[in-house]
PDB file of all heavy atoms in Angstrom:
ATOM      1  N   GLY A 261      14.722  -1.806  10.306  1.00 91.00           N
ATOM      2  CA  GLY A 261      14.709  -2.213  11.700  1.00 91.00           C
ATOM      3  C   GLY A 261      13.386  -1.911  12.376  1.00 91.00           C
ATOM      4  O   GLY A 261      12.875  -2.716  13.165  1.00 91.00           O
ATOM      5  N   LYS A 262      12.807  -0.754  12.065  1.00 92.00           N
ATOM      6  CA  LYS A 262      11.528  -0.377  12.686  1.00 92.00           C
ATOM      7  C   LYS A 262      10.429  -1.360  12.314  1.00 92.00           C
ATOM      8  O   LYS A 262       9.591  -1.719  13.150  1.00 92.00           O
ATOM      9  CB  LYS A 262      11.148   1.043  12.267  1.00 92.00           C
ATOM     10  CG  LYS A 262      11.974   2.122  12.956  1.00 92.00           C
ATOM     11  CD  LYS A 262      11.588   3.512  12.476  1.00 92.00           C
ATOM     12  CE  LYS A 262      12.408   4.585  13.190  1.00 92.00           C
ATOM     13  NZ  LYS A 262      12.086   5.948  12.693  1.00 92.00           N
ATOM     14  N   ARG A 263      10.439  -1.792  11.075  1.00 93.00           N
ATOM     15  CA  ARG A 263       9.427  -2.764  10.645  1.00 93.00           C
ATOM     16  C   ARG A 263       9.643  -4.110  11.331  1.00 93.00           C
ATOM     17  O   ARG A 263       8.681  -4.765  11.757  1.00 93.00           O
ATOM     18  CB  ARG A 263       9.476  -2.932   9.125  1.00 93.00           C
ATOM     19  CG  ARG A 263       8.981  -1.715   8.356  1.00 93.00           C
ATOM     20  CD  ARG A 263       9.147  -1.896   6.864  1.00 93.00           C
ATOM     21  NE  ARG A 263       8.751  -0.693   6.135  1.00 93.00           N
ATOM     22  CZ  ARG A 263       8.928  -0.532   4.830  1.00 93.00           C
ATOM     23  NH1 ARG A 263       9.490  -1.484   4.113  1.00 93.00           N
ATOM     24  NH2 ARG A 263       8.535   0.583   4.233  1.00 93.00           N
ATOM     25  N   LEU A 264      10.903  -4.514  11.435  1.00 95.00           N
ATOM     26  CA  LEU A 264      11.202  -5.783  12.095  1.00 95.00           C
ATOM     27  C   LEU A 264      10.840  -5.725  13.580  1.00 95.00           C
ATOM     28  O   LEU A 264      10.250  -6.668  14.118  1.00 95.00           O
ATOM     29  CB  LEU A 264      12.688  -6.116  11.929  1.00 95.00           C
ATOM     30  CG  LEU A 264      13.134  -6.510  10.520  1.00 95.00           C
ATOM     31  CD1 LEU A 264      14.654  -6.608  10.455  1.00 95.00           C
ATOM     32  CD2 LEU A 264      12.503  -7.824  10.097  1.00 95.00           C
ATOM     33  N   ILE A 265      11.183  -4.628  14.225  1.00 96.00           N
ATOM     34  CA  ILE A 265      10.877  -4.483  15.643  1.00 96.00           C
ATOM     35  C   ILE A 265       9.368  -4.499  15.873  1.00 96.00           C
ATOM     36  O   ILE A 265       8.871  -5.110  16.825  1.00 96.00           O
ATOM     37  CB  ILE A 265      11.509  -3.191  16.209  1.00 96.00           C
ATOM     38  CG1 ILE A 265      13.036  -3.375  16.327  1.00 96.00           C
ATOM     39  CG2 ILE A 265      10.917  -2.837  17.575  1.00 96.00           C
ATOM     40  CD1 ILE A 265      13.780  -2.113  16.731  1.00 96.00           C
ATOM     41  N   SER A 266       8.628  -3.842  15.002  1.00 96.00           N
ATOM     42  CA  SER A 266       7.172  -3.845  15.114  1.00 96.00           C
ATOM     43  C   SER A 266       6.631  -5.265  15.010  1.00 96.00           C
ATOM     44  O   SER A 266       5.753  -5.668  15.780  1.00 96.00           O
ATOM     45  CB  SER A 266       6.572  -2.960  14.017  1.00 96.00           C
ATOM     46  OG  SER A 266       5.171  -3.014  14.046  1.00 96.00           O
ATOM     47  N   HIS A 267       7.166  -6.027  14.060  1.00 96.00           N
ATOM     48  CA  HIS A 267       6.736  -7.417  13.876  1.00 96.00           C
ATOM     49  C   HIS A 267       7.094  -8.257  15.098  1.00 96.00           C
ATOM     50  O   HIS A 267       6.276  -9.058  15.573  1.00 96.00           O
ATOM     51  CB  HIS A 267       7.398  -7.991  12.628  1.00 96.00           C
ATOM     52  CG  HIS A 267       7.087  -9.438  12.385  1.00 96.00           C
ATOM     53  ND1 HIS A 267       5.869  -9.864  11.902  1.00 96.00           N
ATOM     54  CD2 HIS A 267       7.841 -10.566  12.588  1.00 96.00           C
ATOM     55  CE1 HIS A 267       5.874 -11.188  11.806  1.00 96.00           C
ATOM     56  NE2 HIS A 267       7.055 -11.629  12.204  1.00 96.00           N
ATOM     57  N   LEU A 268       8.294  -8.081  15.604  1.00 97.00           N
ATOM     58  CA  LEU A 268       8.740  -8.848  16.772  1.00 97.00           C
ATOM     59  C   LEU A 268       7.903  -8.509  18.002  1.00 97.00           C
ATOM     60  O   LEU A 268       7.489  -9.397  18.747  1.00 97.00           O
ATOM     61  CB  LEU A 268      10.222  -8.560  17.045  1.00 97.00           C
ATOM     62  CG  LEU A 268      11.209  -9.105  16.007  1.00 97.00           C
ATOM     63  CD1 LEU A 268      12.569  -8.442  16.164  1.00 97.00           C
ATOM     64  CD2 LEU A 268      11.343 -10.617  16.139  1.00 97.00           C
ATOM     65  N   LYS A 269       7.643  -7.236  18.205  1.00 97.00           N
ATOM     66  CA  LYS A 269       6.830  -6.813  19.357  1.00 97.00           C
ATOM     67  C   LYS A 269       5.431  -7.413  19.290  1.00 97.00           C
ATOM     68  O   LYS A 269       4.884  -7.861  20.305  1.00 97.00           O
ATOM     69  CB  LYS A 269       6.734  -5.282  19.394  1.00 97.00           C
ATOM     70  CG  LYS A 269       7.965  -4.578  19.930  1.00 97.00           C
ATOM     71  CD  LYS A 269       7.704  -3.074  20.006  1.00 97.00           C
ATOM     72  CE  LYS A 269       8.841  -2.321  20.648  1.00 97.00           C
ATOM     73  NZ  LYS A 269       8.559  -0.878  20.769  1.00 97.00           N
ATOM     74  N   GLU A 270       4.881  -7.394  18.102  1.00 97.00           N
ATOM     75  CA  GLU A 270       3.531  -7.941  17.925  1.00 97.00           C
ATOM     76  C   GLU A 270       3.491  -9.420  18.292  1.00 97.00           C
ATOM     77  O   GLU A 270       2.580  -9.880  18.994  1.00 97.00           O
ATOM     78  CB  GLU A 270       3.103  -7.739  16.467  1.00 97.00           C
ATOM     79  CG  GLU A 270       1.692  -8.208  16.166  1.00 97.00           C
ATOM     80  CD  GLU A 270       1.310  -7.979  14.711  1.00 97.00           C
ATOM     81  OE1 GLU A 270       1.792  -6.988  14.122  1.00 97.00           O
ATOM     82  OE2 GLU A 270       0.536  -8.803  14.172  1.00 97.00           O
ATOM     83  N   ASN A 271       4.494 -10.172  17.839  1.00 97.00           N
ATOM     84  CA  ASN A 271       4.541 -11.603  18.125  1.00 97.00           C
ATOM     85  C   ASN A 271       4.837 -11.897  19.591  1.00 97.00           C
ATOM     86  O   ASN A 271       4.255 -12.811  20.173  1.00 97.00           O
ATOM     87  CB  ASN A 271       5.578 -12.285  17.226  1.00 97.00           C
ATOM     88  CG  ASN A 271       5.038 -12.604  15.855  1.00 97.00           C
ATOM     89  OD1 ASN A 271       4.476 -13.674  15.629  1.00 97.00           O
ATOM     90  ND2 ASN A 271       5.183 -11.673  14.933  1.00 97.00           N
ATOM     91  N   LEU A 272       5.735 -11.128  20.184  1.00 97.00           N
ATOM     92  CA  LEU A 272       6.066 -11.342  21.598  1.00 97.00           C
ATOM     93  C   LEU A 272       4.895 -10.964  22.497  1.00 97.00           C
ATOM     94  O   LEU A 272       4.621 -11.645  23.495  1.00 97.00           O
ATOM     95  CB  LEU A 272       7.311 -10.539  21.967  1.00 97.00           C
ATOM     96  CG  LEU A 272       8.620 -11.060  21.370  1.00 97.00           C
ATOM     97  CD1 LEU A 272       9.729 -10.026  21.520  1.00 97.00           C
ATOM     98  CD2 LEU A 272       9.033 -12.372  22.038  1.00 97.00           C
TER      99      LEU A 272
END
Side-chain angles (χ1 to χ4, degrees):
K262 286 178 179 178
R263 290 176 184 173
L264 289 172
I265 287 174
S266 176
H267 177 75
L268 291 164
K269 282 184 175 182
E270 183 180 328
N271 278 271
L272 289 167

